[in-house]
Amino acid sequence: MATAASDAIEEDDLNPSWFTPKRLLAIFCIINMLNYIDRGAIASNGVNGSLGTCIEGDTCSGGSGIQGDFNLNYFQDGLLSSAFMVGLLIASPAFAALAKVHNPFRLIGVGLSVWTFATAGCGFSFGFWSILLFRMLVGVGEASFISLAAPFIDDNAPPDQKTVWLSVFYMCIPTGIAIGYVYGGLVGSYVSWRVAFWGEACLMLPFAVFGFVTRPIKMKDTQLLDDSDKLLNDVDESESDDIGRHAEVNAKKKHILYVSLS
C-alpha cells in the first residue's frame, strides 16, 4: 500500500503541473485535427482551384486557386496532394529513433514547429517547386506527432478506456478532413488560398510554442528503460570494482611470493 502511494507521488513529481490525462488527450486531438484540416484544405476547390479555360472565339477565363495561379497540369496537381508523404515516410523512422535518446514530447514540439513553418511557407510559395518543397516539409513536421502521440495516449489512458481514448484520437482524422474541405472552400473562395495556409499556421503556432516552453512529460516505457539502464550500469560498475580488487590482491600475492623466493 505504501509502495503504491510512493509510486503515485513519484509519478506526480515527474509530470508537469499542467498535465492531466484528459487534458493531454484534448491537446493531442486538436493537433491531430489541425493536421488533417490541412489535408482537406489543399484538396478543396477553394484552395486547389482549377485551371483557366478557353472556349471558341478565343474567350478565356482565368483559373483559380493553386492550379490557376501556377498553371499546373493534372500530374503536378496530383503531386502536391501527395508530396507530404515523402517527408512523412522519411522522417517517421527518424523521430522514432530519436525518441530513444531525446524526450519524445520535445520532439513533438520540434515537429510542430517545422509543420507551422512549412504551412506558412505554402502561403508564400511562388511556383510549383517551392510549394512542392513546403508540402514535403509539412510531412516531416507531421511525422513526429503521428509516430509519438499514440504511445503517449496509450501510456496515460485509464487501463479500461485505452481503446476509447485512441478511437477518439483517430476520430479526429475524418473530422479534420471534412472541416478542411469546408474551411479551404470558404477561405479560398472568399479571401485567398494563401490565407488558408497562413490561418492553419497561426492555429498550430501556440501548440508548437507550448511543446518547447512547457515542462515535458515522459513516456513510461522510456522511464523504465532509463531505470533499467541505470541498474545495469550500477551492476557493471560493481563488477568492475570486484575485478579490480581481485587483481590488486593477486598482484600483492605475486609480489610476496617473489620476495620470499628471492
Side-chain angles (χ1 to χ4, degrees), residues 118-143:
T119 308
C122 289
F124 288 107
S125 56
F126 50 83
F128 169 71
W129 291 107
S130 60
I131 195 170
L132 183 69
L133 175 62
F134 282 123
R135 293 310 299 173
M136 290 180 184
L137 287 177
V138 167
V140 172
E142 187 177 333

Side-chain angles (χ1 to χ4, degrees), residues 39-64:
R39 305 265 191 96
I42 195 171
S44 66
N45 289 332
V47 173
N48 187 258
S50 60
L51 290 170
T53 57
C54 294
I55 58 176
E56 296 180 1
D58 294 333
T59 303
C60 296
S61 60
S64 62

Side-chain angles (χ1 to χ4, degrees), residues 191-208:
V191 187
S192 169
W193 63 267
R194 297 180 185 272
V195 175
F197 286 120
W198 294 336
E200 294 171 13
C202 291
L203 290 173
M204 187 66 83
L205 181 61
F207 297 101

Side-chain angles (χ1 to χ4, degrees), residues 65-249:
I66 298 173
Q67 286 192 71
D69 284 4
F70 297 152
N71 195 28
L72 304 181
N73 57 41
Y74 291 130
F75 176 73
Q76 291 173 323
D77 185 46
L79 283 180
L80 283 187
S81 298
S82 56
F84 77 96
M85 288 297 298
V86 176
L88 186 67
L89 292 174
I90 294 173
S92 291
F95 278 112
L98 288 172
K100 298 178 181 178
V101 293
H102 297 285
N103 184 281
F105 197 81
R106 283 282 187 259
L107 291 177
I108 290 177
V110 172
L112 295 182
S113 299
V114 174
W115 192 96
T116 303
F117 167 77
T119 308
C122 289
F124 288 107
S125 56
F126 50 83
F128 169 71
W129 291 107
S130 60
I131 195 170
L132 183 69
L133 175 62
F134 282 123
R135 293 310 299 173
M136 290 180 184
L137 287 177
V138 167
V140 172
E142 187 177 333
S144 69
F145 182 76
I146 292 298
S147 57
L148 299 174
F152 270 115
I153 295 175
D154 186 67
D155 268 355
N156 293 281
D160 59 338
Q161 297 182 14
K162 287 181 183 291
T163 54
V164 175
W165 283 40
L166 286 171
S167 65
V168 170
F169 175 73
Y170 288 116
M171 187 178 64
C172 296
I173 295 176
T175 305
I177 292 175
I179 294 174
Y181 272 106
V182 177
Y183 166 77
L186 291 174
V187 177
S189 299
Y190 291 101
V191 187
S192 169
W193 63 267
R194 297 180 185 272
V195 175
F197 286 120
W198 294 336
E200 294 171 13
C202 291
L203 290 173
M204 187 66 83
L205 181 61
F207 297 101
V209 174
F210 180 76
F212 277 109
V213 301
T214 188
R215 179 183 164 193
I217 59 177
K218 294 183 178 181
M219 284 188 185
K220 294 177 182 178
D221 290 344
T222 304
Q223 183 65 28
L224 290 174
L225 181 61
D226 293 341
D227 291 342
S228 62
D229 288 344
K230 182 178 179 182
L231 179 60
L232 289 174
N233 289 335
D234 292 341
V235 172
D236 291 340
E237 289 176 1
S238 63
E239 289 179 350
S240 298
D241 292 340
D242 292 339
I243 293 171
R245 283 194 293 270
H246 286 306
E248 185 178 355
V249 171

